[in-house]
Amino acid sequence: MSPLDISLADLIAHLDEDLPDANDLARISEAHLRAQTLSDLADQLVGHYVGKAKQAGASWSEIGDAIGVSKQAAQQRHAPAAFDRFTDLNRHSIVLAQEAARTHKHDFIGTEHILLGLLGEPRGLAYEVLMAKTESEQRIRDAIEEAMPPAGEKALRGHIAFRPESKEAIEQARRASDDLGHDWVGTEHTLLGLIRAEDSPAAQILRNLGFTSDELRETVKTEITKRLAARDKQ
């Protein structure tokens, strides 16, 4: 049995369907972007189960054996780092931010890309909060595109670095989670982190859309309380 219900033919068919008028070179570029996204998601998939194994008491030697690498290689690649408390949805939003940077041919991941990543994950609480305030995803996208730097000449291969203000926003997201007494960092915390990085492009975009840091914090706090209460009643 195939480990995944997906085939190369499926991937080719989807890309051809999405880009019916593109030439072969444009399709190569798009295929590269999608391959990078699949690779990032694959790393997250492995990392998710590495985390579970560590919580259950597995050693790095055992995890390395399961992956087929040395203890040192497993620990170096999958040890908790900047995103160790991020939820799966929030990790996906970061992958989408990276993809947005590649799509715009930027050699950095800015806070504007992170905000686009949150918009690309409609299952996250951040998306719901954004929609409740603005009532228009397109309005937010237009504001981001207006603030976005000009596109580069070609999409960057491999790793794309976070800008300093993006690193600050990610750190502020963790702090926002701690301030609220949460043991996870969700898309809602990343949204709070963006507006708390006051000098960043995303913070300016959010302020222009009518958000304030204090109001956003109270909205997130209220919505999470509602969700936890609803879950407890189930």
Side-chain angles (χ1 to χ4, degrees):
M1 183 178 71
S2 173
L4 290 177
D5 187 19
I6 190 171
S7 68
L8 176 60
D10 292 331
L11 295 173
I12 292 172
H14 284 306
L15 194 152
D16 288 344
E17 182 179 346
D18 291 341
L19 301 176
D21 300 322
N23 61 30
D24 288 338
L25 292 177
R27 294 186 184 194
I28 289 173
S29 295
E30 179 64 20
H32 175 73
L33 292 175
R34 296 189 183 195
Q36 186 63 52
T37 299
L38 288 172
S39 176
D40 291 336
L41 289 173
D43 282 343
Q44 289 186 34
L45 176 64
V46 175
H48 171 78
Y49 286 103
V50 167
K52 284 185 171 292
K54 287 300 295 179
Q55 290 176 0
S59 68
W60 282 113
S61 294
E62 292 171 323
I63 291 172
D65 289 342
I67 299 174
V69 299
S70 68
K71 166 188 173 181
Q72 290 78 12
Q75 190 169 9
Q76 182 177 6
R77 184 160 188 174
H78 296 289
F83 305 110
D84 61 327
R85 290 168 53 207
F86 275 44
T87 62
D88 289 343
L89 293 183
N90 205 16
R91 288 171 183 263
H92 185 227
S93 77
I94 296 297
V95 171
L96 294 177
Q98 178 176 264
E99 186 174 0
R102 292 188 197 281
T103 299
H104 287 81
K105 300 179 180 179
H106 294 154
D107 60 358
F108 60 88
I109 300 175
T111 57
E112 57 272 48
H113 301 115
I114 295 176
L115 187 54
L116 275 177
L118 293 178
L119 276 182
E121 186 42 87
R123 296 170 296 173
L125 179 54
Y127 182 89
E128 293 184 19
V129 171
L130 288 167
M131 291 303 100
K133 180 78 171 181
T134 65
E135 299 181 344
S136 172
E137 179 178 327
Q138 192 58 49
R139 179 186 172 197
I140 303 173
R141 290 188 178 277
D142 289 344
I144 297 172
E145 290 298 332
E146 185 177 345
M148 193 76 73
E153 295 184 0
K154 61 180 181 179
L156 190 69
R157 294 176 179 270
H159 175 71
I160 303 180
F162 287 94
R163 273 192 164 174
E165 61 265 29
S166 297
K167 294 180 180 179
E168 179 189 356
I170 291 169
E171 176 59 30
Q172 290 291 348
R174 290 198 294 268
R175 292 182 184 179
S177 172
D178 292 339
D179 291 345
L180 292 168
H182 301 152
D183 59 2
W184 74 93
V185 181
T187 61
E188 63 276 15
H189 301 113
T190 294
L191 185 59
L192 285 172
L194 288 175
I195 201 168
R196 288 185 177 188
E198 296 181 351
D199 295 330
S200 70
Q204 184 61 55
I205 292 168
L206 291 170
R207 288 194 294 266
N208 290 344
L209 290 169
F211 290 94
T212 67
S213 182
D214 290 342
E215 177 192 19
L216 194 53
R217 181 185 185 279
E218 289 305 309
T219 299
V220 167
K221 182 179 179 180
T222 299
E223 290 301 317
I224 291 179
T225 299
K226 288 180 181 177
R227 289 188 173 199
L228 293 177
R231 186 187 66 182
D232 291 340
K233 289 181 179 179
Q234 293 179 352

